[in-house]
Amino acid sequence: MAKFTASQVAETIVKYCIENGIKIIYISGNGGSGKTTLSKLIQQSVNPYGTCNAIEMDDFVVDTKLRNSANAAWIDVDTGEERNGKYTTSFEASYFLQNIKAILCNLIRGNNYWHWPKKGKVLEDSAVEYKADALLTVVEGISSVFLPKFAPTLTIFMECSKDVEIARRVQRARSENEKDLAAAEKSYEVRNSQFKANILPHASEFDIELHSDEDYGLVVKKDTMKVL
């Protein structure tokens, strides 16, 4: 299987999209697989040609307190048993997906769209404008698997190993309960079970599947559009 740097993948994808009239890119995959890194590199690769809208699905996640207080149920793929736990971002209900759909529908209809980011405080400093004349719109987030295709769209699914995911989560220290190896390993089991139940089955629907190695190199597992 072919292996590339994330920059090489981003540059090739952008050229393919421009040449083939693709307007939207969805990037999904497990935590730590490099979704955000690839999204940013794609945005940078678009700059010489025009503008790029970047929709980060983390801006549309339901409040953590609400998700933690609700009971989520799913079927464990490995055991076939029903399990219960908190709502992680592997659940469709954990997002305000209608907001993302509204943005995309406006863009393909030629309308610019103003969005107030989740962490926004002051209008003048935080409102984000998504532009209808942008060359590309990148939607990055695990639950992009639940979004319909409103326009010509390229879909990318990324994965990494357990060890790589845990190491990257600890490095990022994104949440207070995952700042050390033991804590990250403890929460991994539940997250992975939910990921395998709700997200991974959609991988076969994506155009490109990439495996992220420890050195951030990307191995192409599937490329139905022959982009790479």
Side-chain angles (χ1 to χ4, degrees):
M1 292 183 284
K3 183 175 180 178
F4 304 94
T5 66
S7 294
Q8 289 174 325
V9 169
E11 291 170 2
T12 303
I13 284 174
V14 167
K15 290 179 181 178
Y16 179 89
C17 289
I18 292 175
E19 292 172 358
N20 292 275
I22 292 174
K23 303 295 292 181
I24 299 172
I25 297 175
Y26 292 163
I27 305 176
S28 180
N30 67 291
S33 59
K35 300 184 298 296
T36 301
T37 297
L38 182 60
S39 174
K40 290 180 178 179
L41 288 171
I42 288 175
Q43 295 166 48
Q44 293 173 12
S45 297
V46 173
N47 286 338
Y49 308 99
T51 58
C52 180
N53 295 315
I55 300 177
E56 298 181 10
M57 294 192 68
D58 284 350
D59 271 342
F60 302 87
V61 177
V62 175
D63 185 85
T64 302
K65 292 181 179 179
L66 290 176
R67 290 188 289 114
N68 287 345
S69 64
N71 180 63
W74 72 96
I75 302 299
D76 190 285
V77 173
D78 296 324
T79 66
E81 298 177 350
E82 180 174 304
R83 297 186 59 175
N84 294 273
K86 69 178 183 180
Y87 276 87
T88 69
T89 51
S90 287
F91 286 89
E92 184 174 358
S94 294
Y95 290 85
F96 295 107
L97 290 184
Q98 290 298 97
N99 293 39
I100 302 176
K101 293 176 183 177
I103 294 172
L104 295 174
C105 283
N106 271 274
L107 294 179
I108 64 173
R109 287 178 170 81
N111 302 316
N112 292 351
Y113 193 100
W114 285 92
H115 166 63
W116 185 288
K118 186 176 181 180
K119 297 180 180 180
K121 300 298 181 183
V122 182
L123 175 63
E124 291 77 10
D125 297 333
S126 61
V128 175
E129 182 183 17
Y130 297 113
K131 298 182 178 180
D133 62 355
L135 285 180
L136 276 173
T137 296
V138 181
V139 183
E140 180 262 308
I142 186 173
S143 284
S144 59
V145 298
F146 302 123
L147 291 172
K149 297 180 180 179
F150 294 108
T153 304
L154 182 69
T155 54
I156 305 167
F157 197 91
M158 305 181 70
E159 287 186 80
C160 65
S161 69
K162 172 183 177 180
D163 290 342
V164 169
E165 176 176 348
I166 290 176
R168 290 177 181 173
R169 282 184 178 276
V170 172
Q171 184 180 30
R172 291 183 312 207
R174 292 186 62 179
S175 60
E176 293 183 1
N177 62 345
E178 290 185 3
K179 286 188 176 180
D180 59 68
L181 183 59
E185 288 181 337
K186 182 177 180 180
S187 62
Y188 172 83
E189 194 277 330
V190 173
R191 282 198 316 270
N192 188 55
S193 177
Q194 293 181 347
F195 173 79
K196 291 169 72 173
N198 299 329
I199 304 298
L200 192 56
H202 293 278
S204 61
E205 304 166 6
F206 276 55
D207 302 314
I208 299 174
E209 286 187 58
L210 302 171
H211 180 85
S212 180
D213 284 344
E214 187 175 356
D215 62 358
Y216 288 90
L218 296 175
V219 177
V220 181
K221 296 176 59 181
K222 183 180 75 174
D223 184 7
T224 58
M225 307 291 285
K226 301 188 183 304
V227 178
L228 303 169

